[in-house]
Amino acid sequence: LNCNFYFKIMNVQSGQSNNEDENKAAFKWISDRPGDKDSEKVKVYLPIEISDDLLFDIIRETKAALAQFGEEQGAQIVKHLKGYLDEKCDPYWHVIMGKNFGSYVVHEKRMFAYFSIDKNSYLMYKAGY
């Protein structure tokens, strides 16, 4: 197992924790398509620990799942995303969606995505072998 990174999320709603050092650079706004309006950009929490190509692919698939199932069908969305990632990038992906949650995870190197679209945040990471 190629795990080398620990990440702690204290408060998903604000992107902040009780530690001032963790609050200095909490996120950045990105677009998965050229020419997106500001309202279509995605808040990606730092540090970004995944390849740009895979991050953009995950964001596009998340938006497609939201359009297909609707935000209120969270269980269907995460099931779809897990299946998509397991097939695309090999098994053992974990997908979490919600408005307020905490986590402390160990994951494979460069296999961790954490971002927000609208009111929900999405945490996806690969752990296991």
Side-chain angles (χ1 to χ4, degrees), residues 58 81-90 93 95 124:
I58 290 170
L81 292 170
K82 180 186 176 11
Y84 176 80
L85 288 166
D86 281 351
E87 186 172 317
K88 180 177 178 63
C89 306
D90 295 324
W93 280 86
V95 180
M124 302 174 200

Side-chain angles (χ1 to χ4, degrees), residues 26-32 37-46 48 56 59 116-118:
F27 63 87
K28 75 176 195 175
W29 292 97
I30 67 161
S31 173
D32 62 319
K37 299 175 188 166
D38 284 345
S39 63
E40 296 172 327
K41 291 185 178 176
V42 175
K43 182 189 270 188
V44 178
Y45 295 92
L46 302 176
I48 296 174
F56 293 140
I59 289 170
S116 291
I117 299 175
D118 296 326

Side-chain angles (χ1 to χ4, degrees), residues 67-107:
Q68 180 180 353
F69 299 109
E71 183 179 313
E72 60 281 348
Q73 296 296 318
Q76 289 293 92
I77 291 169
V78 297
K79 181 179 178 183
H80 171 82
L81 292 170
K82 180 186 176 11
Y84 176 80
L85 288 166
D86 281 351
E87 186 172 317
K88 180 177 178 63
C89 306
D90 295 324
Y92 306 114
W93 280 86
H94 304 267
V95 180
I96 301 164
M97 169 188 173
K99 292 183 171 88
N100 192 8
F101 57 84
S103 72
Y104 191 85
V105 302
V106 177
H107 63 85

